[in-house]
Amino acid sequence: MPKRDRPYVSQEDREAKRARHSHRDRLSTLSDELILRVLSHLPVSTLILCQRLSRRFNDVAGDSQLWKSAYYNRFVRPRASRIPGIREDNGLVRNLTYSSRASKWLDESYLVSEGQNPNWKRQYKLRHNWSRGSCDVSEVQVAERPSIPPLLVRLHAGIVFTADSTAGLRAWTLGGEQEPIATIRLISTEEGHSGSCAPTSLAVDVHNHGRESIEVAVGFIDGHFSTYILRRHTHTFAHQYTHPPSSNGMISAIAYTLPYILTMTEAQRLSLYCFKGKSSRRTVEDITDPPRLLSSLHSYTVWPPLSLSLRGSSDHITASIAYALPTYLSGWSVGLQELRLTLQGDVLESRLASAVDQGFHPLYRFSSSSTSSPSKPKQRRRTQIEPLPSSTKPTSLSYSHPYLLASHPDNTLSLYMVNSTDETLSIGGGRRLWGHTTSVSGAHVGDRGKAVSVSSRGNELRVWELERGLSKRRATTGEVSVEVRPEPRDDALVEDVDEVSQSGTKRSTVRGFAHELNMAELAVTPGWVGFDEEKVVVLRERGLGTQALVVYDFT
């Protein structure tokens, strides 16, 4: 039926129909290779938008090589540009173009090594969340009441290991399960006593990447230590070996890297053991004979807190102990002792180093930013405080070569650079790191220059880039760390990865926070915080004594 004309509207007054302009889609006619080349010049925010256009663009804009290049340009290139001698006279960075060669990826070359095929978009998002402090938070209850000695915790390869005299040695996954995946009882070695024994130290072999089993060593209050193995495929523990009790008291610290075990006793006896054979691929039946004692040293100057470490090379093994060191009339400093041995177990040398400066230095060192001239009236000089390390006794120590990190009760941390070569061993003067607003109870240094610290009340968690801490300006202005603070999620404020990729904001957001997890009721258990590539785990204790693992998931 034809439309009737409106009699009250003249022909001249009628609006002309809007002309339709047809735009030809020239981009979709291109091949995937050409579109990929176009997208390689776009920022990350535009790549995210392109993935929402269609299935084809979702696949092309999600190409692994695009995100691999974006990862390099944002996270690797800035670090490489700070290497001395890499800039030309005009200040431009040379030889830093994107490449798949491992030599251009610095200490992240493991991502591009043979056999590795990572999801680069996931890696970019993970690294971005670390830089922002953006994470999900969950809680796993591990004990109804505090144990004596305190509960021991270690984290490796996404598995949390806990040890106490009541529940024994347990392994937990961080996928939301509230029950351990494996448990084994810790048996006493005393004759006529079949009960459990109190563990005082715990270590995990962190150099067993890619294996189907994880080796664990536990030191006990009566001076003996035992080794266990966790089979991942069956989720079971198996006992390997138990060493007789030592006459030097309880095992206060332990480090484990197959086939070596390093222990420190209550009587300050440092001992290095080696199991027979050099292969790190062992079965339960392989470790039945007692280990050979390679070296034993007694010290009268080692004070807690301690940090033991083992690292190997192609021709020798280095056992290290970092410790607090009291100094006359100037507070506390740190010391380090290294024991270098051949792969056959022959001792090459034992050497000491400390961060104590020779001579007297004030607590704060002032530097002038202007000079005065005799011909001009004196002007007030601006002074700048140098970030000298704190002189208070450390609350924790963590050493992962070359970084030595000490936490202090005065809300600061001290960062030291250790120089260990075949000829010398030395500790730099150290830098003081600011950022916490309350006493720092624990800090942990991981691989590739990253560290995590937690306050004594447990309400302040910070992630540190230690390479930046070596800069005096960054150390004093707080550009070294990112704060992770548990807060309820506000959906209106949640930013996507593309919208914050270029942001310099240091305030974090915790996504998906469970409202029933009342962080105000938790107080951190002093002495432990740990992390791996994806998660940070903190041991906290409620007011009634219930202990829980609070997991910060950055994926």
Side-chain angles (χ1 to χ4, degrees):
M1 180 178 180
K3 293 183 178 181
R4 292 181 298 175
D5 294 337
R6 290 177 292 179
Y8 51 86
V9 180
S10 63
Q11 189 71 23
E12 293 79 7
D13 296 337
R14 291 184 178 181
E15 297 180 358
K17 290 185 178 180
R18 182 178 298 177
R20 297 181 180 180
H21 301 282
S22 59
H23 297 281
R24 184 178 179 182
D25 185 2
R26 301 180 183 274
L27 187 61
S28 297
T29 60
L30 301 178
S31 64
D32 289 350
E33 291 76 12
L34 291 177
I35 295 178
L36 192 64
R37 183 58 181 253
V38 173
L39 297 181
S40 65
H41 299 280
L42 301 180
V44 172
S45 57
T46 308
L47 287 180
I48 297 292
L49 295 177
C50 289
Q51 286 193 282
R52 303 172 183 173
L53 296 179
S54 63
R55 292 182 179 180
R56 183 190 181 193
F57 275 90
N58 180 70
D59 295 337
V60 177
D63 184 81
S64 180
Q65 290 299 318
L66 282 177
W67 290 97
K68 183 178 180 180
S69 177
Y71 184 97
Y72 180 88
N73 291 329
R74 182 181 177 192
F75 300 114
V76 181
R77 185 196 295 268
R79 293 184 56 217
S81 65
R82 294 194 292 268
I83 297 177
I86 206 166
R87 291 180 178 272
E88 296 179 339
D89 296 337
N90 57 7
L92 299 178
V93 178
R94 55 181 174 86
N95 297 330
L96 284 183
T97 56
Y98 163 72
S99 173
S100 294
R101 291 187 300 171
S103 59
K104 289 196 173 186
W105 285 75
L106 304 181
D107 55 3
E108 298 188 56
S109 59
Y110 70 99
L111 292 174
V112 293
S113 59
E114 294 185 5
Q116 298 292 330
N117 187 25
N119 184 330
W120 283 103
K121 183 179 179 180
R122 184 178 184 276
Q123 287 290 333
Y124 186 98
K125 180 181 178 181
L126 178 64
R127 186 68 179 271
H128 166 79
N129 289 341
W130 274 103
S131 66
R132 290 275 302 172
S134 179
C135 62
D136 291 329
V137 183
S138 60
E139 177 187 353
V140 178
Q141 181 175 322
V142 294
E144 295 182 356
R145 60 183 62 87
S147 61
I148 300 176
L151 180 73
L152 305 173
V153 188
R154 291 295 181 271
L155 170 65
H156 174 61
I159 299 178
V160 177
F161 296 86
T162 63
D164 63 277
S165 57
T166 303
L169 179 63
R170 294 176 290 175
W172 310 73
T173 58
L174 301 179
E177 295 82 358
Q178 296 295 319
E179 297 294 333
I181 61 173
T183 303
I184 189 171
R185 189 179 181 188
L186 303 176
I187 305 299
S188 174
T189 60
E190 297 180 5
E191 295 183 2
H193 182 67
S194 59
S196 61
C197 187
T200 55
S201 56
L202 177 64
V204 179
D205 184 3
V206 298
H207 298 91
N208 62 351
H209 297 286
R211 298 213 299 266
E212 291 299 325
S213 61
I214 301 177
E215 288 79 11
V216 182
V218 183
F220 295 88
I221 196 170
D222 63 355
H224 84 275
F225 65 84
S226 299
T227 60
Y228 303 87
I229 186 171
L230 173 66
R231 296 189 183 96
R232 294 188 179 184
H233 59 286
T234 60
H235 289 177
T236 57
F237 275 114
H239 174 263
Q240 290 183 302
Y241 172 78
T242 294
H243 195 271
S246 170
S247 59
N248 296 292
M250 72 174 184
I251 306 294
S252 58
I254 191 170
Y256 191 20
T257 299
L258 266 172
Y260 302 98
I261 287 187
L262 182 65
T263 64
M264 186 68 178
T265 64
E266 185 181 13
Q268 298 185 350
R269 173 74 64 175
L270 182 69
S271 302
L272 179 62
Y273 301 89
C274 179
F275 289 100
K276 288 185 178 181
K278 304 174 185 176
S279 174
S280 60
R281 295 183 177 271
R282 294 176 174 267
T283 61
V284 178
E285 292 77 11
D286 288 330
I287 302 183
T288 56
D289 298 328
R292 181 164 65 100
L293 179 62
L294 301 181
S295 181
S296 182
L297 302 174
H298 189 263
S299 175
Y300 297 94
T301 59
V302 173
W303 291 74
L306 309 174
S307 178
L308 302 185
S309 66
L310 289 165
R311 70 179 192 275
S313 65
S314 59
D315 57 351
H316 69 274
I317 182 77
T318 302
S320 306
I321 174 173
Y323 52 90
L325 181 65
T327 56
Y328 181 67
L329 294 180
S330 59
W332 291 78
S333 184
V334 295
L336 181 68
Q337 182 168 3
E338 280 190 354
L339 187 63
R340 300 177 68 245
L341 306 95
T342 64
L343 298 181
Q344 293 73 29
D346 300 325
V347 178
L348 296 175
E349 63 176 331
S350 176
R351 50 191 186 179
L352 293 168
S354 70
V356 179
D357 294 334
Q358 299 297 325
F360 170 77
H361 293 282
L363 183 60
Y364 294 106
R365 186 178 300 147
F366 295 91
S367 59
S368 175
S369 59
S370 61
T371 57
S372 59
S373 173
S375 59
K376 296 182 180 181
K378 293 184 178 181
Q379 299 179 355
R380 186 176 180 179
R381 299 181 179 182
R382 293 189 306 168
T383 58
Q384 181 178 0
I385 297 178
E386 301 256 354
L388 298 179
S390 175
S391 60
T392 59
K393 184 179 180 180
T395 56
S396 71
L397 278 180
S398 182
Y399 175 53
S400 179
H401 186 75
Y403 299 107
L404 175 56
L405 187 64
S407 60
H408 300 281
D410 61 357
N411 309 353
T412 65
L413 297 96
S414 296
L415 174 62
Y416 303 88
M417 177 65 73
V418 177
N419 180 25
S420 177
T421 64
D422 293 339
E423 294 78 19
T424 61
L425 173 66
S426 62
I427 303 178
R431 293 287 185 186
R432 197 173 187 182
L433 306 180
W434 281 271
H436 280 276
T437 57
T438 57
S439 172
V440 187
S441 65
H444 176 68
V445 179
D447 297 334
R448 294 176 288 278
K450 184 184 294 183
V452 172
S453 60
V454 65
S455 64
S456 58
R457 295 181 59 87
N459 60 347
E460 189 175 8
L461 184 73
R462 302 195 75 89
V463 179
W464 302 82
E465 292 290 343
L466 298 183
E467 187 176 289
R468 298 180 180 180
L470 300 176
S471 169
K472 179 176 66 176
R473 181 185 66 83
R474 292 177 182 267
T476 55
T477 57
E479 300 179 20
V480 186
S481 65
V482 177
E483 180 184 2
V484 180
R485 185 183 294 272
E487 296 174 351
R489 176 180 178 178
D490 185 354
D491 292 333
L493 299 179
V494 174
E495 300 168 296
D496 203 350
V497 60
D498 55 319
E499 298 174 344
V500 297
S501 59
Q502 304 298 328
S503 174
T505 305
K506 295 298 181 182
R507 184 58 183 268
S508 65
T509 53
V510 179
R511 300 175 298 164
F513 184 76
H515 293 286
E516 63 270 13
L517 178 59
N518 187 0
M519 305 302 292
E521 298 178 359
L522 297 177
V524 70
T525 300
W528 193 82
V529 57
F531 68 97
D532 59 9
E533 294 289 341
E534 299 179 351
K535 299 177 177 68
V536 176
V537 180
V538 179
L539 178 63
R540 288 197 173 98
E541 181 178 318
R542 292 186 183 273
L544 299 178
T546 302
Q547 293 182 319
L549 296 174
V550 180
V551 182
Y552 299 83
D553 188 353
F554 289 85
T555 58

